[in-house]
Amino acid sequence: WIQKQFASWMKKEDEVQSLFLKELINATKRDKDDPNGHLTIREAESIIVQILLAGNDSSASTMGSAVAELARKPDMQIFLRENPDRIPDFIEEVLRLESPFNGHFRKVKKEEGITLHGQHLPKGTRVMLLWGSGNRDEGYWKNPEEFSIERENRRSHLSFGSGIHSCLGQKLARLEVKVVLEELLKRTQNIEIGQTSGKLKYLNSTFVRSLEKLPLRLSIKQK
């Protein structure tokens, strides 16, 4: 579908309203040595797919993890209802402990390779960066397994990547989760995990950290 749609946009470029799509189309027409950047059609299509999928999964997974964390912590519910300005801090700690993506593959590009923790990785080596593991690194985080919204470095987690690989939709993702939690806390008196046969189960995936389902029992606030 993306291939057909992108081909259609390229044929009707004058009708395309999105500046983002216009830039993708322009990039496919540039020479490979153009300083403004060149993309193959395949690369442009891949960027669109990445944005569509990443934007859906990351927000939905974080919402589920955040609500599950609230349901396990009644004292936190009370605190956030009384201090809604701390909801963003709560979200950062959820992102740290329950990164919506466990990690992603990267490839060593330097001719001489690189050395990490004494291990030499030659050019072409495929590496999986485990963000979920980095977010629990005891060499960086104090009491990494403890949930605390008081961490001074709470926004230093790797859940949205870093540097040139930072997620371009991270501000929108944070806003989406914030609005959901604000409304949920505003309209309820209590949130509990509903009936379940055991621990909450996560999707069997190398990349995604997402709950299969989240049964809830809500006490609705009376008007």
Side-chain angles (χ1 to χ4, degrees):
W1 181 85
I2 291 294
Q3 291 175 333
K4 291 180 180 178
Q5 194 64 43
F6 192 68
S8 173
W9 288 327
M10 291 190 71
K11 290 178 182 178
K12 302 177 181 178
E13 184 180 351
D14 292 341
E15 299 177 15
V16 174
Q17 299 295 316
S18 167
L19 294 177
F20 169 71
L21 288 176
K22 284 181 179 292
E23 181 55 30
L24 284 182
I25 292 171
N26 289 335
T28 65
K29 297 178 178 180
R30 297 184 190 125
D31 294 331
K32 290 185 178 180
D33 57 354
D34 192 306
N36 292 315
H38 165 79
L39 291 173
T40 65
I41 292 178
R42 180 77 177 272
E43 288 170 338
E45 293 168 350
S46 178
I47 289 173
I48 295 173
V49 171
Q50 186 81 350
I51 288 175
L52 288 175
L53 294 180
N56 286 323
D57 284 342
S58 59
S59 296
S61 297
T62 304
M63 287 174 196
S65 295
V67 174
E69 205 62 49
L70 274 181
R72 297 187 188 103
K73 295 177 167 59
D75 289 346
M76 182 62 70
Q77 294 178 43
I78 294 172
F79 176 79
L80 293 179
R81 287 190 181 94
E82 294 175 350
N83 303 275
D85 58 308
R86 298 301 304 277
I87 290 176
D89 298 332
F90 173 82
I91 293 171
E92 295 306 319
E93 187 67 347
V94 170
L95 284 166
R96 183 185 73 83
L97 279 175
E98 298 290 340
S99 175
F101 292 101
N102 293 319
H104 217 300
F105 288 107
R106 292 287 182 264
K107 185 181 288 186
V108 177
K109 300 183 71 174
K110 288 187 175 181
E111 289 293 336
E112 67 276 18
I114 60 172
T115 299
L116 292 174
H117 298 282
Q119 180 67 46
H120 180 69
L121 304 174
K123 181 182 178 181
T125 302
R126 207 170 180 215
V127 181
M128 186 174 188
L129 305 179
L130 293 173
W131 302 322
S133 177
N135 286 343
R136 287 176 166 81
D137 182 359
E138 62 274 10
Y140 183 81
W141 304 96
K142 184 178 179 181
N143 301 320
E145 298 299 327
E146 178 184 319
F147 189 100
S148 173
I149 66 173
E150 303 301 334
R151 297 181 187 276
E152 294 182 1
N153 58 345
R154 53 183 166 268
R155 290 180 70 96
S156 300
H157 57 75
L158 303 172
S159 298
F160 286 125
S162 181
I164 63 171
H165 294 290
S166 291
C167 173
L168 58 83
Q170 59 182 284
K171 289 186 178 180
L172 176 59
R174 284 183 168 102
L175 178 60
E176 289 173 333
V177 179
K178 177 175 176 285
V179 170
V180 166
L181 296 184
E182 285 175 342
E183 292 303 312
L184 183 61
L185 289 167
K186 190 185 302 181
R187 301 181 188 194
T188 59
Q189 291 180 316
N190 191 45
I191 306 165
E192 297 176 310
I193 301 292
Q195 188 172 3
T196 176
S197 57
K199 290 184 177 180
L200 295 176
K201 294 182 179 180
Y202 289 82
L203 293 176
N204 185 17
S205 171
T206 303
F207 298 101
V208 179
R209 176 71 170 171
S210 185
L211 289 165
E212 286 186 356
K213 58 182 178 180
L214 178 59
L216 294 172
R217 185 183 296 112
L218 305 178
S219 297
I220 306 300
K221 186 175 293 184
Q222 300 299 317
K223 293 183 179 181

